[in-house]
Amino acid sequence: MTPATAAAALAWLAEMGADEIIGDTPVNRMVAAPAPAAAIVTAARPFAAAVQAARKGEAPADLASCSTLAEIEAALSAFDACPLKKTATNLCYADGNPYARVMLVGEAPGRDEDIQGKPFVGRSGQLLDRMLAAIGLDRKADDRDSAVFITNTIFWRPPGNRTPTEAETAMCLPFLLRTIEIQKPDVIVCLGATPAHRLTGRSDGILKLRGKWTEATVSGRKIPLLPTLHPAYLLRQPAQKRLAWRDLLSLRQALDAH
Ligand code: URA
């Protein structure tokens, strides 16, 4: 390989989202023997079983006994069926105040979140913090009225920040739902389409869903839910911040009314 072809191959990989080295030793996949079919089937089995169970509304066995958020985090640490765990650096479960009235649900951890093990700590998280501050909310606040609790639809970073698959979000959903049951938010704000789809069962685009209050039903409890634009989208499309601002004002109004 010439230096020019090597540079072109590297640029192509970066464009495809392969922005991290996962192993210390390079693997030449052109010569590596393919894994025997039986090994592939065995590796796929816990994943498929977990997705199927999640689709049937069954939580992993150890989740049912969790009664605190710390126990859910421990159950996630012990949950090995999600293949994203193998490529992620850290579990990224939640941040903020567990007693907050507002729960924010994002899509998936990105690079900075993967490194720090906390949701929304990168560039989009910094924008999110500024947006929240504009309506008097703060993830570090001690009082539940000003505080927020932040989590995601999935808890490990997808390689190269790709959108999580339906199977991955289905598999993580029982953990998210149990988190909602325990945290008991007054209001859920979905950042982007993925959490809005998962928690409402709707499939419209986020530009159609955003700003329209709806509900999530979790264990029979109906919780007001507001879908809004994801801060990463706002960083790419700053002109859309005016729509996000309308949604923030609507959130402020709803909190002040109750
Ligand atoms: N985007 C998300 O959806 N979640 C994070 O935690 C960070 C970026």
Side-chain angles (χ1 to χ4, degrees):
M1 202 182 255
T2 64
T5 33
L10 199 59
W12 180 82
L13 281 172
E15 205 165 304
M16 292 298 110
D19 55 0
E20 265 176 49
I21 297 163
I22 290 170
D24 289 337
T25 323
V27 179
N28 184 348
R29 300 201 185 273
M30 304 304 284
V31 297
I40 293 171
V41 170
T42 320
R45 198 167 294 140
F47 175 72
V51 172
Q52 208 176 20
R55 287 206 182 109
K56 281 196 279 174
E58 291 166 10
D62 48 356
L63 192 50
S65 61
C66 293
S67 54
T68 65
L69 298 173
E71 284 169 1
I72 298 184
E73 185 162 15
L76 274 168
S77 300
F79 183 65
D80 289 327
C82 186
L84 295 175
K85 187 173 184 175
K86 295 189 181 63
T87 50
T89 312
N90 282 304
L91 167 67
C92 175
Y93 174 50
D95 194 22
N97 184 331
Y99 301 101
R101 293 183 67 199
V102 180
M103 176 188 281
L104 303 173
V105 186
E107 180 178 281
R111 189 169 185 278
D112 295 305
E113 290 75 20
D114 181 48
I115 292 167
Q116 295 191 38
K118 275 189 188 171
F120 285 101
V121 291
R123 271 187 76 217
S124 48
Q126 287 155 20
L127 173 60
L128 179 64
D129 285 340
R130 291 198 297 277
M131 289 162 62
L132 294 171
I135 55 162
L137 298 178
D138 179 353
R139 71 169 94 188
K140 295 206 172 81
D142 288 331
D143 68 300
R144 67 184 298 269
D145 287 335
S146 323
V148 292
F149 180 79
I150 309 179
T151 188
N152 275 311
T153 316
I154 61 168
F155 307 102
W156 293 274
R157 180 198 185 201
N161 290 353
R162 65 162 168 74
T163 305
T165 65
E166 195 262 323
E168 288 157 358
T169 58
M171 176 181 287
C172 290
L173 186 64
F175 294 92
L176 176 59
L177 294 178
R178 190 82 186 109
T179 299
I180 295 172
E181 281 172 6
I182 293 174
Q183 205 266 323
K184 296 189 181 59
D186 288 351
V187 166
I188 297 174
V189 177
C190 288
L191 302 167
T194 304
H197 292 166
R198 270 285 161 224
L199 291 176
T200 67
R202 297 181 57 181
S203 55
D204 298 311
I206 190 64
L207 287 171
K208 187 152 181 205
L209 294 175
R210 64 139 285 276
K212 298 189 185 104
W213 283 94
T214 175
E215 283 173 341
T217 306
V218 181
S219 302
R221 183 178 163 235
K222 289 187 187 309
I223 307 167
L225 181 151
L226 180 68
T228 189
L229 301 173
H230 193 288
Y233 170 79
L234 298 174
L235 287 171
R236 293 193 302 271
Q237 305 281 340
Q240 300 287 56
K241 284 184 186 166
R242 67 192 172 86
L243 297 178
W245 177 236
R246 276 191 217 157
D247 300 347
L248 286 171
L249 291 179
S250 171
L251 171 62
R252 184 67 266 165
Q253 230 168 27
L255 292 172
D256 290 344
H258 295 100

